[in-house]
Amino acid sequence: MENIHPLAESYSHKTRVRVCGLLVQDNTLLLARHTAAFGAGSFWIPPGGGLDYGEKVKDCLTREFEEETGLAIEVGRFLYLHEFLRPPLHAIELFFEVKQVSGELKLGHDPEHGQDAQLLEEVRFISVRDMYKMHPEELHPVLHGLVNIDDLYIPRFEFAK
């Protein structure tokens, strides 16, 4: 088992359902940079977060997008499922196409943590070319191997090995 960042402890040793949105504008993808759960550095992932008990999936994604990015979105089609398993973290992640409805992009917050103890560090649109310049450990696995932005729209199911 790896050492985990103290702020990520609340997500560990349980299976968590995460809902994530893929927002594309001008051939770039909106990503959120978080403090890495393991080791040093950062981790880029599409905005989204944990599904609360009794919450509808689309409501969760709308809420998480607003919290993290300040943007109001419309949830589109389901694209894929990804199983993230790196003990002590385990997540079933649902990815949806989203469209911006209103708002201005800004760094939001994670309400599960205090203002002085946030995992969320930055939000911005990133091109596939710039993703290729990142170390694989800095980028969510669903983004590995993209050749162009249209590759995001190929439905798939990825289970942990």
Side-chain angles (χ1 to χ4, degrees):
M1 185 182 327
E2 299 186 57
N3 289 333
I4 189 166
H5 190 284
L7 291 178
E9 271 294 327
S10 62
Y11 310 121
S12 67
H13 301 287
K14 58 186 163 193
T15 304
R16 183 171 182 236
V17 176
R18 293 189 73 253
V19 187
C20 303
L22 302 175
L23 176 59
V24 173
Q25 288 183 1
D26 301 321
N27 218 29
T28 61
L29 176 66
L30 182 60
L31 295 177
R33 180 171 54 102
H34 295 263
T35 301
F38 303 101
S42 298
F43 187 68
W44 289 93
I45 186 170
L51 181 67
D52 293 332
Y53 176 79
E55 184 177 35
K56 293 179 180 176
V57 170
K58 288 185 176 186
D59 293 342
C60 172
L61 186 52
T62 300
R63 174 183 54 76
E64 287 286 348
F65 239 84
E66 173 67 30
E67 289 172 357
E68 292 187 4
T69 70
L71 300 177
I73 57 158
E74 176 183 307
V75 180
R77 62 192 168 122
F78 172 71
L79 294 172
Y80 35 91
L81 176 143
H82 178 263
E83 182 179 30
F84 184 91
L85 180 57
R86 186 170 171 189
L89 298 179
H90 187 193
I92 303 300
E93 300 172 313
L94 309 172
F95 286 82
F96 289 84
E97 180 179 21
V98 301
K99 292 184 175 138
Q100 182 178 345
V101 174
S102 64
E104 300 222 4
L105 182 62
K106 66 178 181 180
L107 177 62
H109 68 286
D110 188 346
E112 288 128 359
H113 303 293
Q115 285 300 109
D116 59 336
Q118 292 285 302
L119 291 170
L120 188 61
E121 299 174 334
E122 179 182 4
V123 289
R124 70 177 158 106
F125 285 92
I126 299 179
S127 69
V128 171
R129 179 180 299 230
D130 287 338
M131 287 181 222
Y132 263 104
K133 296 175 186 174
M134 296 178 186
H135 189 277
E137 289 292 314
E138 297 177 282
L139 201 58
H140 190 283
V142 299
L143 304 173
H144 293 178
L146 292 179
V147 174
N148 62 56
I149 208 76
D150 292 333
D151 291 343
L152 290 171
Y153 301 112
I154 300 170
R156 60 188 185 266
F157 299 92
E158 298 172 355
F159 300 100
K161 296 175 183 167

